[in-house]
Amino acid sequence: MTTLTGDELLRRPVRVHGLHIGQPVDLLLHPSDPQALGLDVLCGDDRHRFLPFSAAAVTEQHVEAASPLVLLDLREGSFYRREARSLNALRGTPLRGRSSLQDVVLGSGWTITELVLDGDERVPLDGIVLPAGTEPRRARWLPRRRRRKRR
């Protein structure tokens, strides 16, 4: 795969077996690693769905989903909505006293290789840590810790 910016991905429609099913509206990033997870796709039924990159192929003209079944419902409280960082939410964030973040450049394995700052300046990631999208939350399925009563 050659490098792609987030904006280049968001301009490509999502198709399944050649049929247009939606348009990407956001790039979702790993909560702590410099890696993209997938796309927030606004589908023809006006619902947002998550398309993981592991189930998609990017061509010059579009993003091809392996099957309509790989598109996961992206409701407000869904796992990916809560845990992933949104590129759109990170845009404009100041980084290391420099200008603000405008976009990311993705390389092989969907890793973030460069950041695009104001004025289309590209800088290598080189230790820059992207801010967290939201505060880390405990997964619901984990049991709650019981508090010991003090005597």
Side-chain angles (χ1 to χ4, degrees):
M1 171 179 120
T2 61
T3 61
L4 287 169
T5 65
D7 285 337
E8 290 170 335
L9 275 171
L10 296 179
R11 284 193 290 267
R12 296 179 181 174
V14 175
R15 298 176 183 256
V16 174
H17 305 299
L19 298 173
H20 177 82
I21 59 164
Q23 187 65 38
V25 293
D26 202 357
L27 177 66
L28 299 180
L29 307 173
H30 190 278
S32 58
D33 294 339
Q35 182 173 351
L37 298 174
L39 296 169
D40 175 350
V41 180
L42 180 60
C43 294
D45 61 357
D46 291 330
R47 307 245 347 232
H48 287 264
R49 292 190 172 84
F50 174 68
L51 174 60
F53 284 131
S54 60
V58 177
T59 70
E60 290 293 322
Q61 290 80 28
H62 66 277
V63 177
E64 183 74 27
S67 161
L69 300 175
V70 299
L71 290 150
L72 307 172
D73 197 19
L74 200 54
R75 294 187 182 160
E76 202 56 40
S78 70
F79 175 80
Y80 287 103
R81 184 73 77 195
R82 280 190 338 264
E83 301 297 329
R85 294 181 290 181
S86 157
L87 176 60
N88 289 342
L90 293 174
R91 292 181 197 266
T93 303
L95 294 174
R96 279 195 179 173
R98 292 183 169 173
S99 54
S100 60
L101 176 70
Q102 298 303 313
D103 203 352
V104 295
V105 178
L106 303 171
S108 63
W110 302 107
T111 58
I112 298 172
T113 59
E114 294 178 307
L115 302 176
V116 180
L117 304 178
D118 289 332
D120 288 332
E121 176 190 5
R122 286 188 177 198
V123 296
L125 192 59
D126 199 29
I128 298 174
V129 177
L130 292 174
T134 58
E135 297 229 351
R137 296 181 184 159
R138 184 182 60 77
R140 284 190 209 169
W141 54 268
L142 289 175
R144 292 189 182 272
R145 288 186 177 170
R146 293 185 180 178
R147 294 183 184 174
R148 291 185 174 180
K149 294 181 182 179
R150 293 188 176 191
R151 293 180 190 183

